[in-house]
Amino acid sequence: MADVVLTEVHGKVGLITINRPEALNALNNDVMDGIAKAIEGFEADDAIACMVLTGNEKAFAAGADIAYMKDFSYVQNYKSNFITRNWESIRSARKPVIAAVSGFALGGGCEVAMMCDIIYASDTAKFGQPEIKLGILPGAGGTQRLPRAVGKAKAMDLCLTARMMDAQEAERAGLVSRVFPADQLMAETLKAAATMAEFSLPVLMMVKESVNQSFESSLSQGVNFERRLFHSVFALEDQKEGMAAFVEKRKPAFKNQ
Ligand code: HXC
């Protein structure tokens, strides 16, 4: 059986590809364990600065695997810590993770994309939370992250009607950062990831942490959090190097220190 999650390294970027094309990349435990393991590996690797999570042209992921999940019981879900156990690895990654989405990103697929820090989409992408059609609700953060991304009006519309939203609408609504022609999605995503990878890694991680803090706190707490980090970066060699390079009109050579 083919690996359901593939990894590759492109310079300082770790690429993670969901590989269950026969089921439109439906997410079962093997897939989620594979993603968690890949993220864990790239997080621990000092040569990697950020990650890209992708699927194939037809589907990023058409949701959690319905056939696999249909007979689950409450007690089994609770005892196995379903979702929290392995899906949350995406959320807890400290290096940036970019979702590169082509085709369907539905249900758990949309939720996985939203756990990432940036969503780049191809013009074929379709997003939605169609769980209600199955007699369930989104369970991997969809009812929480979608309204934060697109506002209550559109989130309610998507979750309650189960309709799909195309890439252009998703970009207008603020879910998607940029839309590219399908055949350019991966090149453009890797280009953006490579740009990030050239910066100071600890600062890259701090920027991610600080932006995420804006969703977890009041404005004054968030600004205070940012201020503390800002003060602290002056302890980094990379701050001295970055500013010296600007003044000396040369490219900085960051050492991630
Ligand atoms: C299991 C799936 C699947 C899924 C597609 N497949 N989505 N299998 N779980 N979520 C399988 C189909 O059964 C089929 O297998 C093959 O992939 C191709 O799918 P088709 O339906 O034939 O393709 P198409 O006609 O193009 O329709 C595409 C589609 C449709 C509109 C995306 O597949 C669809 O509605 N899928 C389900 C979407 C969904 O409800 N997602 C939310 C799931 S619940 P065979 O063997 O027949 O070829 C969820 C909860 C998350 O995500 C909460 C956290 C866990």
Side-chain angles (χ1 to χ4, degrees), residues 85-141:
R85 187 182 67 77
N86 43 13
W87 295 54
E88 295 285 329
S89 64
I90 302 166
R91 189 182 73 134
S92 47
R94 297 178 72 213
K95 294 174 183 174
V97 185
I98 305 174
V101 175
S102 267
F104 298 110
L106 302 176
C110 187
E111 291 172 305
V112 161
M114 289 191 291
M115 286 178 192
C116 299
D117 302 301
I118 292 177
I119 302 177
Y120 292 143
S122 81
D123 48 14
T124 63
K126 287 196 186 319
F127 298 86
Q129 297 293 162
E131 286 89 341
I132 198 150
K133 289 207 281 194
L134 302 167
I136 59 168
L137 72 156

Short mmCIF file of all heavy atoms in Angstrom, two decimals, residues 85-141:
data_model
loop_
_atom_site.label_atom_id
_atom_site.label_comp_id
_atom_site.label_asym_id
_atom_site.label_seq_id
_atom_site.Cartn_x
_atom_site.Cartn_y
_atom_site.Cartn_z
N ARG A 85 -5.97 14.12 19.54
CA ARG A 85 -4.75 13.34 19.67
C ARG A 85 -3.72 13.63 18.55
O ARG A 85 -2.54 13.82 18.83
CB ARG A 85 -5.08 11.84 19.67
CG ARG A 85 -3.91 10.94 19.96
CD ARG A 85 -4.30 9.48 19.89
NE ARG A 85 -4.67 9.05 18.55
CZ ARG A 85 -3.80 8.79 17.58
NH1 ARG A 85 -2.50 8.91 17.80
NH2 ARG A 85 -4.21 8.41 16.39
N ASN A 86 -4.18 13.68 17.31
CA ASN A 86 -3.19 13.87 16.24
C ASN A 86 -3.45 15.10 15.36
O ASN A 86 -2.50 15.74 14.92
CB ASN A 86 -3.05 12.61 15.38
CG ASN A 86 -4.39 11.97 15.06
OD1 ASN A 86 -5.45 12.56 15.26
ND2 ASN A 86 -4.35 10.75 14.55
N TRP A 87 -4.71 15.51 15.17
CA TRP A 87 -4.98 16.67 14.31
C TRP A 87 -4.35 17.93 14.89
O TRP A 87 -3.94 18.82 14.15
CB TRP A 87 -6.49 16.92 14.17
CG TRP A 87 -7.27 15.85 13.46
CD1 TRP A 87 -7.30 14.52 13.75
CD2 TRP A 87 -8.16 16.03 12.35
NE1 TRP A 87 -8.15 13.87 12.90
CE2 TRP A 87 -8.69 14.77 12.04
CE3 TRP A 87 -8.56 17.15 11.62
CZ2 TRP A 87 -9.60 14.58 11.00
CZ3 TRP A 87 -9.47 16.96 10.58
CH2 TRP A 87 -9.99 15.69 10.28
N GLU A 88 -4.31 18.02 16.21
CA GLU A 88 -3.84 19.25 16.85
C GLU A 88 -2.35 19.50 16.62
O GLU A 88 -1.84 20.57 16.95
CB GLU A 88 -4.14 19.23 18.35
CG GLU A 88 -5.62 19.24 18.69
CD GLU A 88 -6.27 20.61 18.49
OE1 GLU A 88 -5.59 21.63 18.66
OE2 GLU A 88 -7.46 20.65 18.15
N SER A 89 -1.62 18.50 16.10
CA SER A 89 -0.19 18.70 15.83
C SER A 89 0.02 19.84 14.84
O SER A 89 1.04 20.51 14.88
CB SER A 89 0.43 17.41 15.28
OG SER A 89 -0.16 17.13 14.04
N ILE A 90 -0.94 20.05 13.96
CA ILE A 90 -0.80 21.14 12.98
C ILE A 90 -0.86 22.47 13.72
O ILE A 90 -0.05 23.35 13.52
CB ILE A 90 -1.91 21.07 11.91
CG1 ILE A 90 -1.88 19.72 11.21
CG2 ILE A 90 -1.80 22.23 10.91
CD1 ILE A 90 -3.11 19.41 10.39
N ARG A 91 -1.83 22.55 14.61
CA ARG A 91 -2.00 23.79 15.36
C ARG A 91 -0.80 24.07 16.26
O ARG A 91 -0.42 25.21 16.48
CB ARG A 91 -3.27 23.70 16.21
CG ARG A 91 -3.63 25.00 16.85
CD ARG A 91 -4.86 24.85 17.70
NE ARG A 91 -4.55 24.11 18.92
CZ ARG A 91 -4.96 24.49 20.12
NH1 ARG A 91 -5.69 25.57 20.26
NH2 ARG A 91 -4.67 23.77 21.18
N SER A 92 -0.22 23.01 16.81
CA SER A 92 0.86 23.27 17.77
C SER A 92 2.24 23.43 17.12
O SER A 92 3.22 23.69 17.81
CB SER A 92 0.88 22.22 18.88
OG SER A 92 0.79 20.96 18.32
N ALA A 93 2.30 23.31 15.79
CA ALA A 93 3.60 23.54 15.12
C ALA A 93 4.06 24.96 15.40
O ALA A 93 3.27 25.90 15.34
CB ALA A 93 3.46 23.33 13.62
N ARG A 94 5.33 25.13 15.68
CA ARG A 94 5.84 26.48 15.99
C ARG A 94 6.45 27.14 14.76
O ARG A 94 6.54 28.35 14.68
CB ARG A 94 6.85 26.39 17.13
CG ARG A 94 6.18 25.89 18.41
CD ARG A 94 7.17 25.75 19.54
NE ARG A 94 7.59 27.04 20.02
CZ ARG A 94 8.81 27.31 20.51
NH1 ARG A 94 9.72 26.35 20.54
NH2 ARG A 94 9.12 28.49 20.95
N LYS A 95 6.88 26.33 13.80
CA LYS A 95 7.33 26.90 12.52
C LYS A 95 6.09 27.12 11.64
O LYS A 95 5.11 26.38 11.76
CB LYS A 95 8.28 25.92 11.82
CG LYS A 95 9.60 25.71 12.59
CD LYS A 95 10.46 24.63 11.96
CE LYS A 95 11.71 24.41 12.80
NZ LYS A 95 12.52 23.26 12.33
N PRO A 96 6.13 28.12 10.75
CA PRO A 96 4.96 28.38 9.90
C PRO A 96 4.59 27.17 9.02
O PRO A 96 5.47 26.46 8.54
CB PRO A 96 5.39 29.56 9.03
CG PRO A 96 6.47 30.23 9.80
CD PRO A 96 7.19 29.14 10.54
N VAL A 97 3.29 26.96 8.86
CA VAL A 97 2.78 25.91 7.98
C VAL A 97 1.84 26.58 6.97
O VAL A 97 0.87 27.25 7.36
CB VAL A 97 2.00 24.83 8.75
CG1 VAL A 97 1.59 23.70 7.81
CG2 VAL A 97 2.80 24.28 9.92
N ILE A 98 2.12 26.40 5.69
CA ILE A 98 1.28 26.96 4.62
C ILE A 98 0.45 25.82 4.03
O ILE A 98 0.99 24.78 3.69
CB ILE A 98 2.12 27.57 3.48
CG1 ILE A 98 3.10 28.62 4.02
CG2 ILE A 98 1.22 28.17 2.41
CD1 ILE A 98 4.07 29.14 2.95
N ALA A 99 -0.86 26.04 3.91
CA ALA A 99 -1.70 25.08 3.18
C ALA A 99 -1.75 25.51 1.72
O ALA A 99 -2.08 26.67 1.44
CB ALA A 99 -3.10 25.05 3.78
N ALA A 100 -1.43 24.61 0.81
CA ALA A 100 -1.56 24.87 -0.63
C ALA A 100 -2.75 24.04 -1.11
O ALA A 100 -2.66 22.81 -1.19
CB ALA A 100 -0.28 24.48 -1.36
N VAL A 101 -3.85 24.71 -1.40
CA VAL A 101 -5.12 24.01 -1.63
C VAL A 101 -5.55 24.07 -3.09
O VAL A 101 -5.75 25.15 -3.64
CB VAL A 101 -6.24 24.64 -0.75
CG1 VAL A 101 -7.59 24.00 -1.06
CG2 VAL A 101 -5.91 24.51 0.74
N SER A 102 -5.70 22.88 -3.69
CA SER A 102 -6.34 22.74 -5.00
C SER A 102 -7.55 21.83 -4.80
O SER A 102 -7.51 20.92 -3.97
CB SER A 102 -5.41 22.05 -5.99
OG SER A 102 -4.68 22.99 -6.72
N GLY A 103 -8.60 22.06 -5.56
CA GLY A 103 -9.76 21.17 -5.48
C GLY A 103 -10.48 21.29 -4.15
O GLY A 103 -10.50 22.35 -3.52
N PHE A 104 -11.03 20.14 -3.69
CA PHE A 104 -11.91 20.18 -2.51
C PHE A 104 -11.13 20.35 -1.20
O PHE A 104 -10.16 19.63 -0.94
CB PHE A 104 -12.72 18.88 -2.41
CG PHE A 104 -13.63 18.64 -3.59
CD1 PHE A 104 -13.37 17.63 -4.51
CD2 PHE A 104 -14.75 19.44 -3.79
CE1 PHE A 104 -14.21 17.41 -5.60
CE2 PHE A 104 -15.59 19.24 -4.88
CZ PHE A 104 -15.32 18.23 -5.79
N ALA A 105 -11.59 21.28 -0.39
CA ALA A 105 -11.15 21.37 1.02
C ALA A 105 -12.44 21.46 1.82
O ALA A 105 -12.96 22.54 2.08
CB ALA A 105 -10.27 22.60 1.24
N LEU A 106 -12.97 20.29 2.15
CA LEU A 106 -14.31 20.23 2.75
C LEU A 106 -14.24 19.62 4.14
O LEU A 106 -13.40 18.75 4.41
CB LEU A 106 -15.23 19.35 1.88
CG LEU A 106 -15.41 19.80 0.43
CD1 LEU A 106 -16.27 18.79 -0.33
CD2 LEU A 106 -16.02 21.20 0.36
N GLY A 107 -15.15 20.03 5.01
CA GLY A 107 -15.22 19.44 6.34
C GLY A 107 -13.87 19.50 7.02
O GLY A 107 -13.24 20.56 7.13
N GLY A 108 -13.40 18.32 7.45
CA GLY A 108 -12.09 18.26 8.10
C GLY A 108 -10.97 18.78 7.21
O GLY A 108 -9.95 19.26 7.72
N GLY A 109 -11.15 18.72 5.91
CA GLY A 109 -10.13 19.24 4.98
C GLY A 109 -10.03 20.76 5.09
O GLY A 109 -8.94 21.33 5.12
N CYS A 110 -11.17 21.41 5.16
CA CYS A 110 -11.19 22.86 5.34
C CYS A 110 -10.64 23.20 6.73
O CYS A 110 -9.88 24.17 6.90
CB CYS A 110 -12.63 23.37 5.19
SG CYS A 110 -12.78 25.15 5.19
N GLU A 111 -10.98 22.36 7.71
CA GLU A 111 -10.50 22.63 9.08
C GLU A 111 -8.98 22.47 9.18
O GLU A 111 -8.31 23.25 9.87
CB GLU A 111 -11.22 21.69 10.06
CG GLU A 111 -12.70 22.04 10.18
CD GLU A 111 -13.50 21.03 10.97
OE1 GLU A 111 -13.46 19.82 10.62
OE2 GLU A 111 -14.15 21.42 11.95
N VAL A 112 -8.44 21.47 8.50
CA VAL A 112 -6.98 21.29 8.49
C VAL A 112 -6.32 22.50 7.81
O VAL A 112 -5.32 23.03 8.30
CB VAL A 112 -6.61 19.96 7.78
CG1 VAL A 112 -5.15 19.96 7.35
CG2 VAL A 112 -6.90 18.78 8.70
N ALA A 113 -6.90 22.95 6.70
CA ALA A 113 -6.33 24.13 6.02
C ALA A 113 -6.35 25.33 6.97
O ALA A 113 -5.38 26.10 7.04
CB ALA A 113 -7.10 24.42 4.74
N MET A 114 -7.45 25.46 7.71
CA MET A 114 -7.56 26.61 8.63
C MET A 114 -6.63 26.50 9.83
O MET A 114 -6.34 27.50 10.48
CB MET A 114 -9.00 26.79 9.10
CG MET A 114 -9.92 27.30 8.00
SD MET A 114 -11.53 27.82 8.61
CE MET A 114 -12.28 26.27 9.09
N MET A 115 -6.18 25.29 10.16
CA MET A 115 -5.20 25.14 11.25
C MET A 115 -3.83 25.65 10.82
O MET A 115 -2.97 25.92 11.65
CB MET A 115 -5.05 23.67 11.65
CG MET A 115 -6.21 23.13 12.44
SD MET A 115 -5.90 21.39 12.77
CE MET A 115 -7.49 20.89 13.37
N CYS A 116 -3.63 25.73 9.49
CA CYS A 116 -2.35 26.22 8.98
C CYS A 116 -2.31 27.75 9.13
O CYS A 116 -3.32 28.38 9.42
CB CYS A 116 -2.18 25.81 7.51
SG CYS A 116 -2.17 24.02 7.29
N ASP A 117 -1.15 28.33 8.89
CA ASP A 117 -0.99 29.77 9.13
C ASP A 117 -1.41 30.61 7.94
O ASP A 117 -1.80 31.76 8.09
CB ASP A 117 0.47 30.07 9.49
CG ASP A 117 0.88 29.26 10.71
OD1 ASP A 117 0.23 29.44 11.74
OD2 ASP A 117 1.80 28.43 10.60
N ILE A 118 -1.27 30.04 6.76
CA ILE A 118 -1.61 30.74 5.52
C ILE A 118 -2.30 29.71 4.63
O ILE A 118 -1.89 28.54 4.61
CB ILE A 118 -0.33 31.24 4.80
CG1 ILE A 118 0.36 32.34 5.61
CG2 ILE A 118 -0.62 31.70 3.38
CD1 ILE A 118 1.67 32.84 4.99
N ILE A 119 -3.32 30.15 3.89
CA ILE A 119 -3.89 29.28 2.85
C ILE A 119 -3.66 29.96 1.51
O ILE A 119 -4.15 31.07 1.27
CB ILE A 119 -5.41 29.04 3.05
CG1 ILE A 119 -5.70 28.43 4.42
CG2 ILE A 119 -5.95 28.16 1.91
CD1 ILE A 119 -7.20 28.22 4.71
N TYR A 120 -2.89 29.31 0.64
CA TYR A 120 -2.81 29.70 -0.76
C TYR A 120 -3.68 28.71 -1.52
O TYR A 120 -3.64 27.50 -1.26
CB TYR A 120 -1.38 29.63 -1.30
CG TYR A 120 -0.44 30.67 -0.70
CD1 TYR A 120 0.89 30.36 -0.43
CD2 TYR A 120 -0.87 31.96 -0.42
CE1 TYR A 120 1.76 31.31 0.10
CE2 TYR A 120 0.00 32.91 0.12
CZ TYR A 120 1.31 32.58 0.38
OH TYR A 120 2.16 33.51 0.91
N ALA A 121 -4.48 29.25 -2.46
CA ALA A 121 -5.42 28.37 -3.17
C ALA A 121 -5.20 28.46 -4.66
O ALA A 121 -4.80 29.52 -5.18
CB ALA A 121 -6.85 28.77 -2.83
N SER A 122 -5.49 27.38 -5.35
CA SER A 122 -5.54 27.46 -6.81
C SER A 122 -6.95 27.92 -7.19
O SER A 122 -7.88 27.84 -6.37
CB SER A 122 -5.20 26.12 -7.45
OG SER A 122 -6.34 25.30 -7.43
N ASP A 123 -7.11 28.36 -8.43
CA ASP A 123 -8.43 28.86 -8.85
C ASP A 123 -9.46 27.74 -8.96
O ASP A 123 -10.62 27.98 -9.26
CB ASP A 123 -8.31 29.66 -10.15
CG ASP A 123 -7.50 28.94 -11.22
OD1 ASP A 123 -7.24 27.71 -11.06
OD2 ASP A 123 -7.10 29.59 -12.21
N THR A 124 -9.05 26.49 -8.69
CA THR A 124 -10.00 25.37 -8.71
C THR A 124 -10.46 25.00 -7.29
O THR A 124 -11.25 24.07 -7.12
CB THR A 124 -9.33 24.11 -9.29
OG1 THR A 124 -8.24 23.74 -8.40
CG2 THR A 124 -8.78 24.33 -10.68
N ALA A 125 -9.95 25.69 -6.29
CA ALA A 125 -10.23 25.26 -4.90
C ALA A 125 -11.69 25.51 -4.53
O ALA A 125 -12.31 26.47 -4.97
CB ALA A 125 -9.31 26.01 -3.94
N LYS A 126 -12.21 24.60 -3.69
CA LYS A 126 -13.56 24.75 -3.17
C LYS A 126 -13.55 24.44 -1.68
O LYS A 126 -13.08 23.38 -1.27
CB LYS A 126 -14.51 23.76 -3.86
CG LYS A 126 -14.83 24.16 -5.29
CD LYS A 126 -16.06 23.39 -5.77
CE LYS A 126 -16.38 23.61 -7.22
NZ LYS A 126 -16.24 24.94 -7.72
N PHE A 127 -14.08 25.38 -0.91
CA PHE A 127 -14.06 25.25 0.55
C PHE A 127 -15.49 25.07 1.06
O PHE A 127 -16.42 25.66 0.53
CB PHE A 127 -13.47 26.52 1.17
CG PHE A 127 -12.05 26.77 0.76
CD1 PHE A 127 -11.74 27.47 -0.40
CD2 PHE A 127 -11.00 26.29 1.54
CE1 PHE A 127 -10.41 27.69 -0.78
CE2 PHE A 127 -9.68 26.50 1.17
CZ PHE A 127 -9.39 27.20 0.01
N GLY A 128 -15.63 24.31 2.13
CA GLY A 128 -16.96 24.20 2.73
C GLY A 128 -16.94 23.36 3.99
O GLY A 128 -15.96 22.66 4.29
N GLN A 129 -18.00 23.52 4.75
CA GLN A 129 -18.20 22.71 5.98
C GLN A 129 -19.55 22.00 5.82
O GLN A 129 -20.56 22.42 6.38
CB GLN A 129 -18.23 23.64 7.21
CG GLN A 129 -16.95 24.40 7.48
CD GLN A 129 -15.74 23.56 7.90
OE1 GLN A 129 -14.63 24.02 7.81
NE2 GLN A 129 -15.93 22.32 8.33
N PRO A 130 -19.55 20.89 5.03
CA PRO A 130 -20.81 20.23 4.72
C PRO A 130 -21.25 19.17 5.74
O PRO A 130 -22.14 18.37 5.47
CB PRO A 130 -20.52 19.57 3.37
CG PRO A 130 -19.07 19.22 3.47
CD PRO A 130 -18.42 20.28 4.31
N GLU A 131 -20.66 19.18 6.93
CA GLU A 131 -20.93 18.13 7.91
C GLU A 131 -22.41 17.96 8.21
O GLU A 131 -22.89 16.86 8.48
CB GLU A 131 -20.19 18.42 9.23
CG GLU A 131 -18.70 18.18 9.19
CD GLU A 131 -17.89 19.38 8.76
OE1 GLU A 131 -18.45 20.32 8.14
OE2 GLU A 131 -16.67 19.40 9.05
N ILE A 132 -23.15 19.07 8.16
CA ILE A 132 -24.57 19.01 8.56
C ILE A 132 -25.34 18.02 7.68
O ILE A 132 -26.30 17.40 8.13
CB ILE A 132 -25.19 20.43 8.53
CG1 ILE A 132 -26.48 20.45 9.33
CG2 ILE A 132 -25.35 20.97 7.12
CD1 ILE A 132 -26.81 21.76 9.97
N LYS A 133 -24.86 17.82 6.45
CA LYS A 133 -25.53 16.85 5.56
C LYS A 133 -25.43 15.43 6.10
O LYS A 133 -26.18 14.55 5.74
CB LYS A 133 -24.88 16.89 4.16
CG LYS A 133 -25.17 18.14 3.39
CD LYS A 133 -25.12 17.90 1.90
CE LYS A 133 -23.72 17.88 1.37
NZ LYS A 133 -23.62 17.96 -0.09
N LEU A 134 -24.40 15.19 6.95
CA LEU A 134 -24.16 13.85 7.49
C LEU A 134 -24.77 13.68 8.87
O LEU A 134 -24.57 12.66 9.53
CB LEU A 134 -22.65 13.60 7.59
CG LEU A 134 -21.85 13.73 6.29
CD1 LEU A 134 -20.36 13.78 6.60
CD2 LEU A 134 -22.17 12.56 5.36
N GLY A 135 -25.44 14.71 9.35
CA GLY A 135 -26.01 14.63 10.70
C GLY A 135 -24.97 14.87 11.78
O GLY A 135 -25.12 14.39 12.91
N ILE A 136 -23.90 15.56 11.44
CA ILE A 136 -22.88 15.94 12.44
C ILE A 136 -22.54 17.41 12.27
O ILE A 136 -23.03 18.06 11.34
CB ILE A 136 -21.59 15.09 12.33
CG1 ILE A 136 -20.96 15.25 10.93
CG2 ILE A 136 -21.87 13.62 12.65
CD1 ILE A 136 -19.54 14.68 10.82
N LEU A 137 -21.70 17.91 13.16
CA LEU A 137 -21.23 19.28 13.00
C LEU A 137 -19.72 19.26 12.79
O LEU A 137 -19.09 18.24 13.08
CB LEU A 137 -21.62 20.16 14.20
CG LEU A 137 -20.92 19.94 15.54
CD1 LEU A 137 -20.99 21.22 16.37
CD2 LEU A 137 -21.56 18.80 16.30
N PRO A 138 -19.14 20.37 12.33
CA PRO A 138 -17.68 20.41 12.23
C PRO A 138 -17.07 20.09 13.59
O PRO A 138 -17.58 20.57 14.60
CB PRO A 138 -17.39 21.85 11.81
CG PRO A 138 -18.66 22.31 11.14
CD PRO A 138 -19.77 21.64 11.89
N GLY A 139 -16.00 19.29 13.60
CA GLY A 139 -15.46 18.86 14.90
C GLY A 139 -13.99 19.14 15.08
O GLY A 139 -13.40 18.82 16.11
N ALA A 140 -13.36 19.76 14.08
CA ALA A 140 -11.93 20.05 14.20
C ALA A 140 -11.69 21.55 14.11
O ALA A 140 -10.74 22.02 13.51
CB ALA A 140 -11.14 19.30 13.12
N GLY A 141 -12.62 22.30 14.71
CA GLY A 141 -12.42 23.74 14.83
C GLY A 141 -13.16 24.58 13.80
O GLY A 141 -13.05 25.80 13.81
#
